[in-house]
Amino acid sequence: MVPIAYYLVLSAILFSIGVAAFLIKRNIITVFMSIELMLNAVNLTFVAFAHQWHHVSGQIFVFFVMVVAAAEAAVGLAIIIAIFRTRSTLNVDQVDLMKL
């Protein structure tokens, strides 16, 4: 049986990689992927604690986070496609205004 500390360390590493990519990268797609990585790191923490305490509530919360992440992915990708069609770039520095 794997101790919960291993899951928490893995989750912290994944979350740190997501934060670093969010702060360093200049591509909108990469920033979007780093946000998804941070959400998955938090989901791993919820599942680890739910398994340790033998509660289903953590896994139910993960299900709702995944539903919100799926909706966010659909809306976010639609916005990214619209920005790319109007500006022909996905660089965050060049897409700093929401007006055309």
Side-chain angles (χ1 to χ4, degrees):
M1 186 157 164
V2 180
I4 191 169
Y6 291 171
Y7 292 114
L8 297 179
V9 168
L10 176 63
S11 177
I13 290 170
L14 289 175
F15 193 83
S16 300
I17 291 171
V19 169
F22 181 79
L23 295 175
I24 293 171
K25 297 296 183 176
R26 296 289 97 197
N27 189 345
I28 294 177
I29 299 291
T30 310
V31 170
F32 193 69
M33 287 172 42
S34 64
I35 292 171
E36 293 293 327
L37 184 64
M38 288 187 286
L39 281 173
N40 286 329
V42 172
N43 283 342
L44 178 62
T45 303
F46 282 141
V47 169
F49 280 124
H51 180 70
Q52 181 188 12
W53 293 328
H54 305 290
H55 286 282
V56 183
S57 60
Q59 295 173 359
I60 293 171
F61 193 71
V62 166
F63 176 73
F64 286 117
V65 169
M66 289 174 61
V67 168
V68 170
E72 177 247 340
V75 173
L77 286 175
I79 291 172
I80 289 170
I81 290 171
I83 288 172
F84 182 74
R85 285 184 179 172
T86 58
R87 306 231 177 152
S88 299
T89 185
L90 290 178
N91 192 352
V92 174
D93 294 331
Q94 296 175 354
V95 185
D96 57 352
L97 298 174
M98 289 304 289
K99 64 181 181 179
L100 297 175

